[in-house]
């Protein structure tokens, strides 16, 4: 099972903590950088990690999960994984707000990823389970993932020791 975040500008320690906490249960976070949202990822593949570490978010931040090569999330040249994910989950909204000088792809489609940090949860069978609006708090995503893990365990009649459903970042 994995959580896909795209693109990953403004990553935070919360995603690293989520990945670390849930990794023992088969959970993996995958990050896909893109320059299509406010032109926020201008670097080439050799510049992305140093930018995260020293500039945005900075402070020595290093993601503890897999980052993929920068690519297209939406539009004519979007990566096939995003075509699949977006067609498998309902859109998180029907509006892009004011896309002028913010969104850099054509054509705009209602099921497109709207902005940085839109997330998809994909089950261990490769089927998308849930999609979250970009501004959804990581703690809400964590709660949904734990509920999904519990539902999967109960279907298999197993009771794994999962973390409790309480805030873990204060």
């Amino acid at each position: 099972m994995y959580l896909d975040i795209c693109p990953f500008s403004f990553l935070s320690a919360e995603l690293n903590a989520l990945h670390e906490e849930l990794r023992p249960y088969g959970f993996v976070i995958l990050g896909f950088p893109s320059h299509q949202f406010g032109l926020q990822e201008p670097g080439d593949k050799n510049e992305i990690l140093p930018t995260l570490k020293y500039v945005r978010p900075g402070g020595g931040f290093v993601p503890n999960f897999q980052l993929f090569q920068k690519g297209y999330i939406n539009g004519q040249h979007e990566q096939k994984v995003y075509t699949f994910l977006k067609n498998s989950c309902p859109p998180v909204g029907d509006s892009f707000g004011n896309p002028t000088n913010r969104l850099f792809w054509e054509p705009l489609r209602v099921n497109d990823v709207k902005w940085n940090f839109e997330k998809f949860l994909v089950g261990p069978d490769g089927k998308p389970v849930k999609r979250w609006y970009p501004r959804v708090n990581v703690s809400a995503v964590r709660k949904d993932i734990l509920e999904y893990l519990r539902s999967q365990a109960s279907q298999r009649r197993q009771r794994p020791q999962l973390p409790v459903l309480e805030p873990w970042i204060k």
Side-chain angles (χ1 to χ4, degrees):
M1 157 183 33
Y2 73 91
L3 176 71
D4 158 49
I5 56 167
C6 62
F8 59 87
S9 295
F10 306 109
L11 285 177
S12 69
E14 289 180 329
L15 289 173
N16 274 358
L18 181 68
H19 187 248
E20 190 66 31
E21 176 188 14
L22 299 181
R23 186 181 354 208
Y25 309 102
F27 179 76
V28 177
I29 292 179
L30 305 175
F32 293 84
S34 179
H35 193 53
Q36 292 184 298
F37 302 91
L39 302 177
Q40 293 180 355
E41 198 58 69
D44 65 26
K45 65 182 179 182
N46 298 323
E47 297 171 318
I48 291 174
L49 284 174
T51 298
L52 289 170
K53 187 172 184 177
Y54 300 110
V55 180
R56 190 188 69 237
F61 176 79
V62 176
N64 65 0
F65 47 85
Q66 176 70 47
L67 298 179
F68 288 80
Q69 188 167 341
K70 183 167 74 172
Y72 296 98
I73 306 299
N74 296 310
Q76 294 176 332
H77 304 291
E78 70 190 23
Q79 298 168 62
K80 291 185 188 310
V81 67
Y82 278 98
T83 303
F84 171 70
L85 290 170
K86 294 184 300 183
N87 288 333
S88 299
C89 294
V92 295
D94 58 1
S95 171
F96 289 95
N98 180 7
T100 305
N101 296 322
R102 292 181 55 237
L103 305 179
F104 295 90
W105 71 87
E106 289 183 356
L108 293 178
R109 297 183 184 110
V110 73
N111 71 333
D112 282 345
V113 169
K114 304 295 188 263
W115 195 252
N116 291 332
F117 276 110
E118 190 164 312
K119 297 163 258 334
F120 295 86
L121 177 63
V122 177
D125 58 359
K127 293 181 183 173
V129 175
K130 187 163 178 98
R131 181 176 181 176
W132 291 274
Y133 189 76
R135 292 187 184 150
V136 169
N137 184 304
V138 173
S139 63
V141 171
R142 176 184 178 265
K143 179 180 181 270
D144 290 345
I145 293 167
L146 288 173
E147 287 173 2
Y148 173 75
L149 288 170
R150 284 188 176 87
S151 73
Q152 293 301 299
S154 68
Q155 287 177 8
R156 292 186 310 265
R157 296 179 186 238
Q158 297 173 352
R159 301 261 179 206
Q161 293 293 342
L162 294 173
V164 295
L165 281 174
E166 58 187 51
W168 92 114
I169 299 226
K170 296 181 176 42

